[in-house]
Amino acid sequence: MYVCLCKGVNDKTIHQAVSRGEVSSMRDLRQQFGVASQCGCCKDCAKSVLNDALQESFPKKSQETSLPVSVCYT
């Protein structure tokens, strides 16, 4: 799916750039690919695709995988 028609950037390009570590913010997207630098209509969609790509590349650790911590004051 095309995210930015002005610059011809699609969701696959964004996902690949995130997985390679080239992009981690909207600023990076704008600098690398020109996303949201012309008409700006793609800004919200680009943010959504970027956030999805970041979640896939760097999933948050769930609370269940954390070790329990207890403190004993004796």
Side-chain angles (χ1 to χ4, degrees):
M1 154 184 84
Y2 277 94
V3 174
C4 179
L5 292 175
C6 297
K7 298 295 183 173
V9 178
N10 60 28
D11 60 331
K12 185 176 180 179
T13 302
I14 295 171
H15 279 268
Q16 289 173 342
V18 168
S19 68
R20 289 190 302 258
E22 298 170 355
V23 171
S24 62
S25 67
M26 283 298 293
R27 177 179 286 180
D28 293 340
L29 269 183
R30 192 174 302 111
Q31 289 175 343
Q32 290 272 57
F33 303 106
V35 172
S37 65
Q38 275 190 304
C39 75
C41 292
C42 62
K43 187 174 126 185
D44 292 334
C45 182
K47 278 184 181 180
S48 177
V49 171
L50 176 63
N51 287 334
D52 290 345
L54 289 169
Q55 288 295 325
E56 287 176 13
S57 294
F58 308 105
K60 292 181 180 177
K61 295 180 181 177
S62 69
Q63 295 288 356
E64 296 172 9
T65 60
S66 306
L67 294 174
V69 176
S70 62
V71 179
C72 180
Y73 298 102
T74 57

